[in-house]
Amino acid sequence: MKRILSILLCVTLLFVLVGCGGQSADPQNNATNSSSSKKDEPKVFKLRSAKYVAKFDDENTVVICWGDSITQGMAMPMGFTYPQHLQGQIGSPYRVINAGVPGETSEAILSRANAIEFCLTNDVTFKKGEKQALLDRTLFKSVGAETPITYKGFGNQLKLSSVIIDGKKYTIEYEKGESYDVGTYKLTRENTASALTLKAGTKVKYDYSSQYKKVHCNVILMGANDDSSDAKSLIEKYKKLTDLNENYIVIIPFYSEDFSEEFIEAFGDKALNARDYFMNQAHKDYDIELTDTDKTCIKRGLIPNTYTYKGNMADCHLNEKGYLILGELVYKKGQELGYWK
């Protein structure tokens, strides 16, 4: 019995010693590991965008984001373009349409929005009984201009499917090739009873009546693909789009020279200065630690690499962080202007 008690006592003392040793070592190690992980752990960028809404009102009231590949969201996964983040914030009853097409100039964007008058560049001939005719890549040109409008395909949610030519409805289709610069356009008519030639210079207008009934707001960002753009000429192009609807948000180009002063003078509080926010405020609001390269970008008046595509300096395209922030900026600007709650 004494032997058993002695064994139990020894075992108990052993557990106590081990336990004490563990307690004296663990807190120290845990504290070291904790402080080390907190110190070395990178900032986590949290996606704060709201849920995406699939239900809209019967009137198909839309918010259209006009632009090029910056709006389209080059190389971004589903759900990470700024129009999609904007949709997540707005919810119902507005449907946000991404009308961005990679590579398009301001003139092409304006024609897609019916913000400028445009016409057929060449004659289009249908033989009797023929329903479809092939179109040249240079489909249209601005009325009174000789330079054709160059489209880059249908790479957005606002499909160029229905057009009105000489008072009649036609369907325009695009068969994509190996890239946006290679493809075939086809014009389809309904009545094939007789031969028909649509003359060069005949006015054209896109018909979006099947896609929406009312535009609530236009959001505009363009100019990255223009051959040359000074503030004055670019503002004139923007104004052609802002004239379409009293509700609009102009995103001041943040990838070229700083036109902030000129745009704010032209559009007042409807101009969104994304460059200034990315440079001076975004890292504070989103708890992001700027790198030395980011700080160099800011000194040069550029958006920090932290928000640009593949971290390329002066890239006009954004990354997932950048697009989420831009979507929230547009949402907050719309709130300020009373466009949505």
Side-chain angles (χ1 to χ4, degrees), residues 7-281:
I7 293 172
L8 289 174
L9 181 61
C10 289
V11 171
T12 302
L13 287 171
L14 180 62
F15 275 118
V16 169
L17 287 173
V18 172
C20 289
Q23 284 180 341
S24 63
D26 280 350
Q28 184 178 358
N29 290 337
N30 287 340
T32 302
N33 292 337
S34 177
S35 62
S36 174
S37 65
K38 285 182 179 178
K39 181 179 180 181
D40 299 332
E41 183 180 320
K43 296 288 185 182
V44 178
F45 187 83
K46 297 179 180 179
L47 299 182
R48 301 193 298 171
S49 190
K51 62 182 179 179
Y52 297 114
V53 181
K55 184 178 181 180
F56 308 102
D57 66 1
D58 294 335
E59 289 300 312
N60 264 348
T61 302
V62 300
V63 174
I64 306 181
C65 300
W66 297 100
D68 45 47
S69 59
I70 303 172
T71 298
Q72 185 261 352
M74 186 184 75
M76 285 297 103
M78 181 65 70
F80 281 93
T81 66
Y82 97 75
Q84 286 170 308
H85 285 303
L86 177 60
Q87 178 72 82
Q89 296 287 358
I90 293 177
S92 296
Y94 306 119
R95 177 166 62 96
V96 178
I97 295 177
N98 186 336
V101 177
E104 286 201 341
T105 63
S106 297
E107 189 174 39
I109 295 166
L110 291 174
S111 67
R112 287 195 290 112
N114 290 324
I116 57 174
E117 286 192 325
F118 57 104
C119 59
L120 291 172
T121 304
N122 302 300
D123 290 354
V124 179
T125 300
F126 294 89
K127 296 177 182 178
K128 183 177 180 179
E130 192 174 48
K131 189 173 184 178
Q132 199 169 67
L134 294 180
L135 296 174
D136 189 90
R137 281 286 300 174
T138 54
L139 310 178
F140 311 125
K141 63 180 182 179
S142 298
V143 172
E146 293 302 320
T147 305
I149 299 169
T150 303
Y151 293 108
K152 296 292 183 177
F154 292 173
N156 68 89
Q157 298 170 17
L158 192 57
K159 303 299 182 184
L160 307 180
S161 56
S162 184
V163 291
I164 305 297
I165 305 176
D166 199 20
K168 296 179 182 178
K169 184 176 288 190
Y170 295 80
T171 300
I172 186 170
E173 301 172 35
Y174 175 70
E175 188 174 307
K176 187 179 177 182
E178 296 179 357
S179 69
Y180 281 109
D181 295 318
V182 180
T184 304
Y185 288 95
K186 301 174 183 178
L187 192 67
T188 303
R189 62 173 178 166
E190 296 178 359
N191 189 344
T192 63
S194 60
L196 173 67
T197 296
L198 299 171
K199 293 291 185 180
T202 304
K203 290 184 179 180
V204 183
K205 189 173 184 179
Y206 287 107
D207 176 18
Y208 293 120
S209 60
S210 63
Q211 298 192 46
Y212 60 82
K213 297 177 183 177
K214 181 181 178 183
V215 178
H216 176 67
C217 176
N218 285 315
V219 184
I220 312 157
L221 175 60
M222 59 187 186
N225 298 301
D226 294 357
D227 291 334
S228 61
S229 284
D230 57 85
K232 183 179 179 182
S233 63
L234 194 55
I235 286 171
E236 287 176 355
K237 295 172 185 175
Y238 270 76
K239 283 186 173 179
K240 293 182 184 299
L241 251 174
T242 61
D243 287 344
L244 297 180
N245 196 305
E246 63 179 356
N247 293 345
Y248 64 84
I249 296 172
V250 165
I251 302 175
I252 304 172
F254 47 77
Y255 40 78
S256 59
E257 295 179 53
D258 189 353
F259 296 147
S260 302
E261 186 177 338
E262 293 91 339
F263 268 73
I264 291 171
E265 182 179 351
F267 301 106
D269 60 356
K270 294 185 179 182
L272 173 58
N273 193 348
R275 183 203 302 262
D276 181 70
Y277 183 82
F278 277 116
M279 286 172 52
N280 301 308
Q281 190 61 38

